[in-house]
Amino acid sequence: MCHTEFDSPWRKVSWRKSCWSKVERDAMVAALRNFELSDPDVGQLRCLLHGPVGAGKSSFINSVNNVFQGRSTHNALVAAASGTSFTMKYKTHYFQGRKGEKRLPFAFNDVMGLETQKNGLHPDDIINALKGHLPEGYEFNPLHPLSDKKEEYIQNPSLSDKTHCLVSIVTADTISRMNKDVIDKMKHIRAEASKLQIPQVVVMTMPDKACELVNWDVKRIYYSKAIKEKMQICSNELGVPMNCILPVKNYHEEGMMDDDMDILILNAMTQIVNFANDYIWDLQQHA
């Protein structure tokens, strides 16, 4: 539980004075709706989500969609806590623009959750996804990742098929006791993404379960000593810099939209999209 807080926030969500306001929320939404890609031919920036079972990957997809639709949505199916992965197929989740508009310029790929030992998603299939080899609708097999001998394997993926940002999803309340097998798998996947120079961030969900202060008021998230401590543990365990760890509260029990929750989600999305776009730009410079 969280009993202490800093006198001032240790991270800002915006340079504007009115950082927790509907005006700020709407400005962030507009900036992402109108985001210009470094390479328009890519179509959408492809962001690959991965992490332990139950970390909130599908809930994060739905939460992002909620923000842009302004209502509760169920783009990605979410299961109640069961200890096993609910996502069984490789699927691209696109985000609808406003009426009459095309899709938003970014998309998520959701994959089966990571589990201990030989259960859950095989790490080699995430590496296949990073490189663009997995076809849409591919059904995951924990024991046998997709082989380049299979007909469905994409032999010559385009830039659009490849991952432009790797997003690891972990929970704030369980990061300190995450299974070593899962941590090792995530570190291996991160190392492979680094070889490909793919940018990486961590989205840390469920901060309200790790800190009573945040449960009471999400705006206090960067005053919380407990949340900073959880982020430091995450940084140490996964080797991710603190400024690439982004806490968000997913929509779960809420029946109505909440501007403060939206701002944390949008803050994370802005960094993810910028990183992915920087990656595309860098590839262009070295083409």
Side-chain angles (χ1 to χ4, degrees), residues 8-24:
S8 59
W10 51 270
R11 179 186 287 182
K12 294 182 179 179
V13 294
S14 171
W15 54 269
R16 298 182 181 91
K17 288 185 178 180
S18 58
C19 57
W20 296 98
S21 68
K22 190 173 189 309
V23 171
E24 176 65 12

Side-chain angles (χ1 to χ4, degrees), residues 143-244:
L143 298 179
H144 302 289
L146 184 63
S147 163
D148 60 2
K149 303 295 190 294
K150 295 284 188 179
E151 187 178 342
E152 56 192 317
Y153 183 92
I154 299 174
Q155 295 287 350
N156 298 299
S158 67
L159 182 55
S160 298
D161 295 322
K162 298 176 182 179
T163 294
H164 309 133
C165 185
L166 176 65
V167 182
S168 304
I169 310 286
V170 300
T171 59
D173 62 326
T174 63
I175 183 63
S176 58
R177 57 182 189 275
M178 199 159 69
N179 186 280
K180 185 179 183 301
D181 284 346
V182 174
I183 291 173
D184 288 344
K185 287 179 181 180
M186 293 182 74
K187 289 168 79 171
H188 172 62
I189 292 160
R190 283 199 65 242
E192 292 299 316
S194 295
K195 289 178 186 175
L196 299 167
Q197 299 186 322
I198 295 171
Q200 302 153 45
V201 303
V202 173
V203 168
M204 180 177 280
T205 63
M206 305 185 196
D208 52 311
K209 294 192 184 319
C211 176
E212 191 61 37
L213 181 70
V214 177
N215 186 41
W216 173 67
D217 182 1
V218 76
K219 294 193 298 294
R220 308 301 291 179
I221 195 161
Y222 291 127
Y223 285 85
S224 168
K225 290 184 177 180
I227 295 303
K228 188 172 186 180
E229 180 184 333
K230 297 292 187 183
M231 290 170 64
Q232 189 63 62
I233 292 170
C234 179
S235 178
N236 295 341
E237 291 283 7
L238 297 179
V240 180
M242 283 284 281
N243 62 355
C244 294

Side-chain angles (χ1 to χ4, degrees), residues 24-36:
E24 176 65 12
R25 181 242 182 235
D26 292 346
M28 295 171 83
V29 167
L32 286 167
R33 283 191 189 281
N34 300 315
F35 193 89
E36 293 187 7

